[in-house]
Amino acid sequence: MKTLIIYSSKTGNTKKVAYGIYEGLKDEYDLSIEDMDNIKDLSLLDDYDTLLVGFWIDKGTANSSAKKFIKNIKNKNIALFATLGADPSSKHGQDVIKNMNKLADKSNKLIEVGIYNGLVDPKLLEKLKTKPPLFLPKPILNKMISAGEKSREPNEEDMNDAIARFSKALKKVS
């Protein structure tokens, strides 16, 4: 069974998780890894039985290019992973999981979903502090800033969870 890990990463968090999964599982499974931005022809996906697709979270769901990419995947075993600037175990994190479960086309078999910590882009955090969007209510803005200040890069615990989670998922479809 050939598996492709595909990722979309803005600040390096999702790339770090993708490569953590790859390094942790490459000796056990037939894996390849690719940056989503480098995939110009979706026919490349025809060579793979299973896709592990990673992305960063924007407004509670996959970033727009990843969302579009995922919608175009058909008839595959698919697993999704994401990085999030808020605590993955928070209510927002749980809402993100629900949204992730709705991303893949119904022709796919969704085998696993996981979210991991991601450090919020310091430029975005500074922008929220100095030039907040006018449409954003103050309490929500303050929550976003607070979560951003507490955010962190994916760590060893995140990597170990991702490796275990996706190894178990791949075993199910092997």
Side-chain angles (χ1 to χ4, degrees):
M1 176 188 71
K2 289 180 68 177
T3 300
L4 178 61
I5 301 171
I6 307 161
Y7 65 90
S8 169
S9 193
K10 184 176 183 179
T11 59
N13 295 306
T14 310
K15 180 178 182 177
K16 184 176 181 178
V17 174
Y19 273 91
I21 295 168
Y22 176 77
E23 291 298 326
L25 299 179
K26 69 181 181 184
D27 294 335
E28 192 175 347
Y29 298 97
D30 183 6
L31 292 180
S32 299
I33 188 165
E34 191 67 56
D35 185 323
M36 193 178 293
D37 290 339
N38 295 336
I39 300 175
K40 304 300 181 206
D41 182 1
L42 289 179
S43 68
L44 166 84
L45 306 182
D46 295 342
D47 295 338
Y48 298 92
D49 306 297
T50 303
L51 306 173
L52 275 62
V53 184
F55 46 86
W56 48 280
I57 296 299
D58 185 31
K59 300 178 188 97
T61 191
N63 60 288
S64 61
S65 62
K67 192 175 355 179
K68 182 179 176 187
F69 186 90
I70 293 165
K71 293 285 183 201
N72 286 310
I73 298 170
K74 307 282 190 247
N75 303 307
K76 298 287 182 188
N77 295 315
I78 186 171
L80 303 175
F81 63 96
T83 54
L84 175 67
D87 179 357
S89 64
S90 68
K91 170 152 179 11
H92 179 58
Q94 298 312 302
D95 290 342
V96 165
I97 291 272
K98 288 177 191 170
N99 293 337
M100 288 173 69
N101 277 296
K102 298 174 189 172
L103 288 173
D105 183 82
K106 299 293 184 211
S107 69
N108 297 299
K109 179 179 182 185
L110 184 61
I111 59 171
E112 189 57 74
V113 172
I115 56 172
Y116 301 97
N117 287 286
L119 183 65
V120 171
D121 182 351
K123 291 176 188 170
L124 172 62
L125 197 52
E126 190 57 35
K127 187 176 177 182
L128 287 174
K129 290 177 181 178
T130 57
K131 295 180 185 172
L134 298 176
F135 64 86
L136 204 56
K138 190 80 166 160
I140 292 174
L141 174 65
N142 290 339
K143 273 183 148 178
M144 288 174 69
I145 292 170
S146 176
E149 291 173 337
K150 294 176 191 170
S151 69
R152 64 170 174 78
E153 291 182 345
N155 63 16
E156 187 176 349
E157 184 180 330
D158 292 313
M159 296 305 158
N160 290 337
D161 179 84
I163 292 165
R165 176 183 305 269
F166 294 107
S167 178
K168 187 176 177 182
L170 290 174
K171 277 185 177 83
K172 284 191 256 181
V173 295
S174 300

